[in-house]
């Protein structure tokens, strides 16, 4: 399939346009979901790490300023306050960035589940159509081989 090679998502309209020439593979969907989740988790780790680095930069700058003032007692108080603020800022920044990531992942998962359900319904319909076509062929063959016994065949 071209989509496995390019990594593109199959759009429903494109699938309908191609008819039965495209086979649906739930493993591909699961793999794609897993890959998307891995990407989202990696991005979340990057965001947290960026926040930690930024917090460390802020902490270092605040400590340098406190040392420059030369007040031992003020330095101890400042370090405590800096640690509290840095932690709060890091948590707030991580929560903010993760807050936008989690709903996006949730929407993607819901979309994939809806698409899976649509595919299942479509393939169930196709199976019924195929069963009806097979039954029609069997009946036609029986009628052709025993034309006088039409009532019995039906």
């Amino acid at each position: 399939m071209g989509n496995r090679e390019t990594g593109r998502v199959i759009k429903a309209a494109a699938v309908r346009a191609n008819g039965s020439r495209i086979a649906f593979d739930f493993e591909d969907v699961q793999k794609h979901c897993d890959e998307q989740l891995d990407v989202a988790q990696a991005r979340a780790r990057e965001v947290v790490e960026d926040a930690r680095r930024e917090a460390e930069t802020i902490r270092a700058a605040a400590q340098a300023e406190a040392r420059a003032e030369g007040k031992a007692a003020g330095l101890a108080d400042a370090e405590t306050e800096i640690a509290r603020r840095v932690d709060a800022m890091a948590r707030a920044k991580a929560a903010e960035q993760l807050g936008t990531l989690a709903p996006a992942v949730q929407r993607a998962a819901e979309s994939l589940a809806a698409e899976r359900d649509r595919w299942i319904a479509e393939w169930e319909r196709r199976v019924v159509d195929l069963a009806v076509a097979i039954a029609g062929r069997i009946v036609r063959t029986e009628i052709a081989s025993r034309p006088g016994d039409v009532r019995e065949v039906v």
Side-chain angles (χ1 to χ4, degrees):
M1 300 250 145
N3 289 325
R4 286 185 190 163
E5 296 166 9
T6 63
R8 293 186 304 145
V9 174
I10 300 173
K11 298 288 184 182
V15 171
R16 284 196 241 7
N18 286 323
S20 64
R21 292 181 294 166
I22 293 178
F24 185 79
D25 186 353
F26 285 106
E27 290 179 19
D28 284 347
V29 171
Q30 181 64 43
K31 181 181 175 189
H32 183 69
C33 288
D34 290 345
E35 289 170 355
Q36 292 299 314
L37 184 57
D38 289 345
V39 168
Q41 288 172 338
R43 180 63 185 131
R45 285 189 294 273
E46 289 174 12
V47 166
V48 169
E49 189 55 39
D50 288 347
R52 284 186 185 134
R53 280 193 295 271
E54 184 176 339
E56 190 57 41
T57 301
I58 293 168
R59 182 185 321 225
Q63 286 175 347
E65 182 180 330
R67 279 190 194 106
E69 293 175 8
K71 296 179 181 180
L75 179 60
D77 291 344
E79 285 179 343
T80 302
E81 181 63 18
I82 289 166
R84 186 189 64 75
R85 285 184 184 182
V86 165
D87 187 52
M89 289 172 62
R91 288 178 190 271
K93 186 165 185 123
E96 174 188 333
Q97 291 180 348
L98 289 174
T100 60
L101 186 60
V105 170
Q106 181 64 34
R107 283 191 303 275
E110 289 168 357
S111 175
L112 287 170
E115 186 63 18
R116 180 200 63 220
D117 293 345
R118 191 193 66 75
W119 269 98
I120 289 171
E122 174 65 19
W123 285 106
E124 286 174 349
R125 185 190 60 76
R126 288 182 185 212
V127 166
V128 169
D129 291 347
L130 179 60
V132 169
I134 291 170
R137 274 197 172 169
I138 291 170
V139 169
R140 282 193 294 280
T141 301
E142 286 296 315
I143 289 173
S145 68
R146 300 186 309 191
D149 300 329
V150 171
R151 283 187 185 164
E152 187 179 315
V153 170
V154 173

